[in-house]
Amino acid sequence: MIILDLSIKSNCSLSKMAHDFNGEVLSFSVSQFSKGMNSIIAFVTLKEKNQETLMKSWKKRYEDFSYLNWDKIGEKSILFNGLKEGHGIVNTLIEYKGALITPTIAGDGYERFLILIKNKKDIDYIIKDISRNNNVIDFNYNDVNMKSLLSWISKMIIEASNINNREYEILSKAYNYGYFSWPKEINLEELSLKLGVSQPTIIYHIRNAINKILSNILSDF
C-alpha cells in the first residue's frame, strides 16, 4: 500500500472559505453523491469575532455548492455540510480503487489530499488523470507507515487548536533548534539571540501553543 500526498491549485468554494476565515478548512467526509458532485462535511475555526456575522454575505461566493448549511460548534468552530462540484479526484480514485484519508485540507489557493493507493504502478496514471482537470502543484509518495499518518493527524490537531502564525513559528523553530531535546541542544538565552525575540516572549508563545494543543488532546481526560 502506498500513501500519495497530492496538492493542487484551487479557487473552489472550500479555498474561498479558507481565504475568508483566514485558516485552513478541514473536510472530514468527502464522498461521491453523483458523478461530478460530492457530499462534504467540513470544519473551520473562527479566528476573528466578526467572521460569523459575515458568513451570510460570503455564502454568495461559494457558487459551486448546490446546497450548503452550517452550524456553530462551541465558541470558535463552524461545521459545514453540503453538496459541491468536485475536482474529479474522487472519480479517479474510484476508478483506480484508491481512497482519501480524511480530513482533506483546503487553504487559500490550494487543496491537499492524502490518498491511499493499492498499487504503486497506478500512481502515474492517477496523477495524469487528475492533471487533466487540475493544476497539480506537488506530489510525493511513500509506503504506508505510522510516521506519515501521525504527521497528517498532527497537522490537523495544530490547525484545530487555533495556533496563530507567531506561536507556530516560535514553537517550530524552538523544536528545530533542539530546545525540547534532552539534554537541550540550545538554552533559552541562546534561542532568544537566534530568533531576535526576548526570553519572556518566547516562553509566552511556546506555553500558549502547547496549552492549545493539549487542550484538544486531553480535553476528555
Side-chain angles (χ1 to χ4, degrees), residues 129-145:
D129 203 38
I130 291 174
S131 297
R132 290 177 185 176
N133 298 310
N134 300 281
N135 186 340
V136 174
I137 301 171
D138 189 27
F139 71 91
N140 59 75
Y141 58 88
N142 291 289
D143 292 334
V144 173
N145 59 72

Side-chain angles (χ1 to χ4, degrees), residues 3-94:
I3 287 181
L4 172 65
D5 188 346
L6 173 77
S7 297
I8 64 170
K9 285 188 177 181
S10 175
N11 191 37
C12 77
S13 292
L14 292 176
S15 289
K16 289 177 181 177
M17 286 179 186
H19 171 83
D20 293 341
F21 285 92
N22 191 30
E24 291 179 328
V25 178
L26 309 181
S27 296
F28 288 90
S29 176
V30 182
S31 57
Q32 190 177 55
F33 178 78
S34 61
K35 192 167 185 180
M37 296 294 291
N38 293 333
S39 174
I40 302 285
I41 298 176
F43 166 96
V44 69
T45 300
L46 293 171
K47 296 189 176 180
E48 298 173 18
K49 291 182 179 179
N50 67 331
Q51 287 178 324
E52 187 180 2
T53 60
L54 292 171
M55 284 171 57
K56 287 185 179 179
S57 62
W58 290 345
K59 187 177 179 180
K60 298 174 184 177
R61 292 175 8 94
Y62 310 148
E63 68 279 353
D64 51 358
F65 273 95
S66 63
Y67 163 81
L68 177 62
N69 189 31
W70 62 68
D71 295 291
K72 189 173 182 182
I73 308 296
E75 290 297 318
K76 295 184 177 180
S77 303
I78 299 292
L79 192 68
F80 295 92
N81 66 86
L83 298 177
K84 176 186 172 297
E85 292 178 12
H87 295 278
I89 292 175
V90 174
N91 289 335
T92 298
L93 296 184
I94 290 172

Side-chain angles (χ1 to χ4, degrees), residues 108 115 117 136 138 141 210:
D108 187 1
I115 299 168
I117 299 170
V136 174
D138 189 27
Y141 58 88
I210 291 174

Side-chain angles (χ1 to χ4, degrees), residues 167 199-209:
E167 290 166 347
Q199 295 180 41
T201 299
I202 290 174
I203 293 173
Y204 172 78
H205 286 306
I206 287 176
R207 286 183 175 175
N208 266 358

Side-chain angles (χ1 to χ4, degrees), residues 188-204:
L188 184 59
E189 182 179 358
E190 293 167 333
L191 183 62
S192 176
L193 291 173
K194 284 271 191 185
L195 302 184
V197 179
S198 71
Q199 295 180 41
T201 299
I202 290 174
I203 293 173
Y204 172 78

